[in-house]
Amino acid sequence: MGLAVTGTTGTLSLRFDDRRDAPLRISRSPAPPEDGPGFRTVPVTDARHIPGAAPYDESLRGVHTPLAPMFQEANLYAVWDLMRSIKEGRDPVSNAFTARRTLEMIYGIYASQIRGGRVTFPLKDRQHPLG
């Protein structure tokens, strides 16, 4: 599984697997980085830390959970952040507002393809582009 984000000046690519060191790659060519020689690895540092948390116990991973350790670690961090946000009276990092912006970007991908060109944000047409 992976994600490639192509913009006007390049492409970012990340492939998820069981490795903790899956590289984030960037390319300034129109081809996805993994399809051509014009890519370089971008260092990624994860500053997330849960004070006092025990290391993740891989034996707790069930059959139906994702294989990549980064997913379990991200879920643990999301739960911790939600608990802290309630205690601190703030929005969690992942909240309804960021979800709405993310959904709009997904709609923008469809709208751009249907229109055959660029779209601007916020989208003027607030309906689902495939609706």
Side-chain angles (χ1 to χ4, degrees):
M1 179 179 88
L3 174 69
V5 178
T6 302
T8 56
T9 61
T11 301
L12 283 173
S13 175
L14 180 63
R15 297 290 173 242
F16 302 101
D17 56 22
D18 279 343
R19 300 177 310 152
R20 292 183 188 280
D21 62 344
L24 174 65
R25 296 188 247 176
I26 188 168
S27 172
R28 297 295 180 190
S29 75
E34 60 272 20
D35 291 344
F39 71 88
R40 65 179 174 87
T41 300
V42 178
V44 177
T45 57
D46 190 352
R48 294 182 300 190
H49 173 70
I50 302 174
Y56 182 74
D57 183 354
E58 291 286 335
S59 70
L60 299 175
R61 186 170 70 193
V63 174
H64 299 293
T65 60
L67 297 177
M70 70 180 79
F71 290 117
Q72 285 89 15
E73 292 169 2
N75 286 340
L76 288 173
Y77 183 80
V79 170
W80 177 77
D81 181 62
L82 177 60
M83 293 186 323
R84 296 292 304 169
S85 70
I86 292 168
K87 185 176 182 178
E88 296 168 6
R90 62 170 174 81
D91 285 335
V93 172
S94 296
N95 58 58
F97 301 107
T98 57
R100 182 179 62 196
R101 283 191 294 257
T102 302
L103 186 58
E104 184 171 32
M105 286 188 272
I106 293 168
Y107 284 3
I109 293 168
Y110 286 108
S112 174
Q113 182 65 29
I114 290 168
R115 184 177 298 168
R118 292 184 188 179
V119 296
T120 58
F121 293 99
L123 294 174
K124 291 179 179 76
D125 182 357
R126 309 297 292 172
Q127 301 299 313
H128 192 294
L130 301 180

